[in-house]
Amino acid sequence: MHEGERITCIAFRIGGWDRLDTPARLRARAEAAGFLGRAGQAGRAGRVGAVLGSGEVLALVLRADPAEAAPVLLDGLRRRRPPGDGTTIGVAGGPAGPRTGAEIVAEAARLLRRPGPREAPFTVVIGALLHWRLRDARSMPAFQRVKGEACGPDHWVWPAGHTPSAPHGGACPGPERLLALAQRQRGLGERRAAVETCRYLLRRYPLTPAAYPLMDLEEHDDVASAYLADGLRVVRSRTGPDRERLERLEYELLLALANRAYRRGRSDEGDRLVNAAAEVFPAGDAPLRVLAREAARRGDRQGARVLLAAALARTWEAP
């Protein structure tokens, strides 16, 4: 699976596995594989990239965006419930959460362990960020939010109903303290520690807009760009009295994405992002600085000097 490819994993834990003998388990796995195959093909949800299995767990990896594949799966479950009472289905994908194929499969399998409604014939479990992306889809049924265990992420389950309490543990800092820790680590030059703190923060609290710009510290362009793009979607979806702060975050995210695009040799994309940032904050000098760096990278020293001079003049003119 190549960089930037949209991937979804649908993990399937067969209900009643412990009560089945070996022939029944083989039949159950075959039925589950058939159900997952049909779910993946229905409504052109995406091409099947791989089918993985171990014991009671099967995983179907689709080359599809999770926001497109998940509603198709839910429509199929409305028409025909999966084999095996007590079955649990976990849906994960990038860019709504994990980034690589291995991380997506691991996240989908992790969701299978989350608590769901008691005595439900089957349960679908998705993470908080994917639910946020899906919440306005016309075919979305009513999911129920379930609080995660101490320092663990929240998740959403369907069918909604009475769910067991999540396990409790020691106290865990909220998003504000984690964000402050990451900013402190960045200020001290502890780049790797700041990235790991932000990565943890966004797993636990994925709708924390101010955390996403810090992921620009991530060294891998594809990983950082995916986080920054997620942050841009979160920021643009927010409304309220703090709109000025959100516009500033949007400005920072657009410029960070532009820098990453230029580094990858995607000049047209970089230009588009710089222009978008300039529209958000016309008086800012940062877009000119980004363009100056790109000119210097191309060997255009004169162009870089002119752009830096313009940026400096704009800084002096600022109130």
Side-chain angles (χ1 to χ4, degrees):
M1 296 177 182
H2 59 74
E3 177 185 316
E5 186 172 16
R6 297 180 301 172
I7 306 171
T8 300
C9 181
I10 301 173
F12 191 103
R13 187 178 66 197
I14 301 168
W17 181 263
D18 293 338
R19 299 189 300 272
L20 302 178
D21 58 21
T22 298
R25 287 181 174 183
L26 293 174
R27 288 193 298 271
R29 289 193 68 186
E31 290 177 7
F35 180 87
L36 284 177
R38 289 189 295 274
Q41 296 166 6
R44 298 187 297 277
R47 293 182 295 114
V48 177
V51 179
L52 312 171
S54 176
E56 65 185 322
V57 176
L58 292 176
L60 179 73
V61 182
L62 297 170
R63 288 185 167 92
D65 190 293
E68 298 171 0
V72 170
L73 171 67
L74 297 175
D75 283 342
L77 288 167
R78 278 195 178 106
R79 293 191 296 270
R80 177 175 178 268
R81 84 185 198 191
D85 281 353
T87 288
T88 305
I89 301 169
V91 185
R99 310 298 158 191
T100 67
E103 288 178 345
I104 290 168
V105 173
E107 171 71 4
R110 183 191 66 78
L111 289 170
L112 299 182
R113 301 193 296 271
R114 303 297 91 188
R118 293 191 179 98
E119 301 177 355
F122 67 89
T123 305
V124 179
V125 189
I126 61 179
L129 184 55
L130 179 53
H131 182 269
W132 174 76
R133 287 191 65 199
L134 290 170
R135 69 193 191 284
D136 295 327
R138 287 185 300 173
S139 59
M140 270 291 281
F143 274 66
Q144 178 179 350
R145 186 173 189 171
V146 179
K147 288 289 185 182
E149 67 272 17
C151 298
D154 295 351
H155 59 282
W156 293 74
V157 300
W158 175 71
H162 177 62
T163 57
S165 299
H168 297 285
C172 178
E176 297 82 7
R177 292 187 178 181
L178 288 168
L179 181 60
L181 173 60
Q183 291 169 335
R184 176 65 174 166
Q185 290 167 330
R186 180 184 188 181
L188 292 172
E190 298 173 359
R191 182 188 186 99
R192 175 50 48 194
V195 168
E196 291 306 318
T197 298
C198 273
R199 193 189 295 269
Y200 171 78
L201 165 59
L202 291 172
R203 281 200 302 267
R204 182 67 180 88
Y205 303 100
L207 304 184
T208 307
Y212 285 95
L214 290 173
M215 289 307 297
D216 194 33
L217 297 170
E218 169 63 58
E219 296 170 359
H220 297 288
D221 278 335
D222 56 334
V223 176
S225 295
Y227 273 106
L228 295 170
D230 281 348
L232 193 58
R233 281 190 288 271
V234 171
V235 167
R236 285 175 167 173
S237 72
R238 294 297 181 89
T239 58
D242 60 344
R243 188 61 222 170
E244 184 176 345
R245 181 182 68 87
L246 292 172
E247 286 179 353
R248 186 70 188 189
L249 288 173
E250 182 179 359
Y251 178 73
E252 292 178 24
L253 290 164
L254 286 166
L255 291 174
L257 283 166
N259 264 318
R260 297 278 175 169
Y262 284 135
R263 283 170 51 174
R264 292 163 143 183
R266 300 175 181 174
S267 297
D268 290 344
E269 181 182 351
D271 292 344
R272 177 181 61 79
L273 291 163
V274 166
N275 289 334
E279 290 177 5
V280 173
F281 186 42
D285 64 295
L288 294 171
R289 296 181 184 277
V290 171
L291 291 174
R293 281 195 293 271
E294 173 59 10
R297 188 189 65 81
R298 295 197 313 265
D300 182 6
R301 295 183 179 180
Q302 178 59 28
R305 282 195 291 268
V306 169
L307 287 163
L308 283 174
L312 185 59
R314 183 168 293 186
T315 301
W316 282 349
E317 292 169 1

